[in-house]
Amino acid sequence: MDEVRIIEIKKSIFEDNDKDANNLRKELRHKGVFLLNLMSSPGSGKTTTLIKTINALKGDINIAVMEADIDSDVDAIKIKTATGVQSIQLHTGGMCHLDAEMTRQGLDGLDLNNTDLVILENVGNLVCPAEFDTGASKNCMILSVPEGHDKPLKYPLMFSVCDLVLINKMDVAPYFDFDIDKCKEYIHMRNPNAEVIPICAKTGDGIDKFVAWIKTNILQWKEGK
């Protein structure tokens, strides 16, 4: 029987994307633009967190936002209305993630002159977005209390690729069986270097620490660290 040729398409896609992502990172560094990739499951509070964070940052840092969704422009309008910063909506055409080329297309729709920070709010999903390098300077994710403290065990890749994990909706922690110490333990099992900041986007608790993290990382990035 003749042998059947097997082509590893998935591997090829990832390898090509990694090259594109590295090239994009170099281009953004040359332009002095820090790209933050924010990921989470749907309903974790990404947009609310961004509104609070952007309003605390925008006096010191020039910010633009890319909102990625399968459809609708709800979040981009919400960001623009609540913060006044440059905001565009990216439709993924059914894709549950953004890759480097899709991110580049989104950046081409922004005016990057005098922009220090671009925040990409990735598609709400705990699996696909973590598989593709977007070319971001740093990766951040939000885990909300109602999702449970065991998510790092169930979705290891997402936690392993993130530099920072925000644990959101801490105001409802008493009403859920959520063990924050266990959650931190599980996160560090997947990623010993990940920073963890508990927040409540609704009340603003902990947002100051997230703001400080962003400022510190942009400064270190500019210094080549």
Side-chain angles (χ1 to χ4, degrees):
M1 181 180 294
D2 293 338
E3 292 185 2
V4 175
R5 185 183 180 191
I6 299 173
I7 302 174
E8 298 290 348
I9 294 177
K10 187 175 182 181
K11 181 179 179 182
S12 176
I13 290 171
F14 287 148
E15 286 179 350
D16 288 345
N17 183 71
D18 288 346
K19 292 177 184 177
D20 290 343
N22 286 329
N23 288 335
L24 180 57
R25 247 187 302 275
K26 291 176 183 177
E27 292 171 23
L28 289 174
R29 177 173 286 281
H30 180 72
K31 294 177 181 178
V33 176
F34 185 98
L35 175 61
L36 178 64
N37 179 30
L38 179 63
M39 300 176 284
S40 79
S41 61
S44 66
K46 288 194 300 297
T47 306
T48 304
T49 299
L50 282 185
I51 289 170
K52 284 283 199 310
T53 304
I54 290 167
N55 281 330
L57 277 170
K58 65 182 183 181
D60 302 318
I61 297 174
N62 294 319
I63 305 168
V65 177
M66 297 189 294
E67 290 286 343
D69 282 300
I70 292 174
D71 204 349
S72 91
D73 57 0
V74 172
D75 288 342
I77 292 173
K78 190 181 295 184
I79 290 286
K80 179 67 174 178
T81 302
T83 69
V85 302
Q86 184 182 184
S87 178
I88 61 171
Q89 187 75 49
L90 310 181
H91 285 171
T92 63
M95 303 289 283
C96 59
H97 68 275
L98 258 66
D99 59 21
E101 177 55 32
M102 296 161 75
T103 302
R104 182 190 296 278
Q105 292 177 40
L107 290 166
D108 287 344
L110 292 170
D111 180 5
L112 296 181
N113 293 322
N114 300 315
T115 298
D116 306 302
L117 168 66
V118 174
I119 302 174
L120 167 60
E121 182 178 338
N122 216 314
V123 181
N125 189 301
L126 278 182
V127 181
C128 301
E131 295 182 327
F132 290 86
D133 189 343
T134 60
S137 309
K138 292 289 182 178
N139 291 315
C140 173
M141 72 164 291
I142 299 176
L143 172 68
S144 64
V145 164
E147 294 174 76
H149 59 259
D150 58 355
K151 284 298 179 289
L153 301 179
K154 297 180 178 181
Y155 300 91
L157 183 59
M158 174 65 74
F159 292 87
S160 68
V161 301
C162 284
D163 303 283
L164 173 67
V165 178
L166 301 172
I167 302 179
N168 191 26
K169 304 187 181 181
M170 288 301 299
D171 57 324
V172 299
Y175 307 101
F176 290 86
D177 185 19
F178 186 89
D179 188 328
I180 191 168
D181 292 328
K182 277 290 183 185
C183 187
K184 290 179 179 179
E185 177 187 338
Y186 295 153
I187 291 169
H188 290 136
M189 282 173 56
R190 302 305 187 189
N191 185 351
N193 297 319
E195 295 187 53
V196 180
I197 301 177
I199 67 168
C200 176
K202 182 178 180 180
T203 64
D205 289 348
I207 295 296
D208 58 334
K209 294 179 181 178
F210 183 32
V211 167
W213 182 90
I214 293 173
K215 288 182 175 180
T216 296
N217 277 271
I218 290 177
L219 180 60
Q220 291 177 345
W221 175 79
K222 287 182 177 180
E223 293 174 347
K225 296 180 181 180

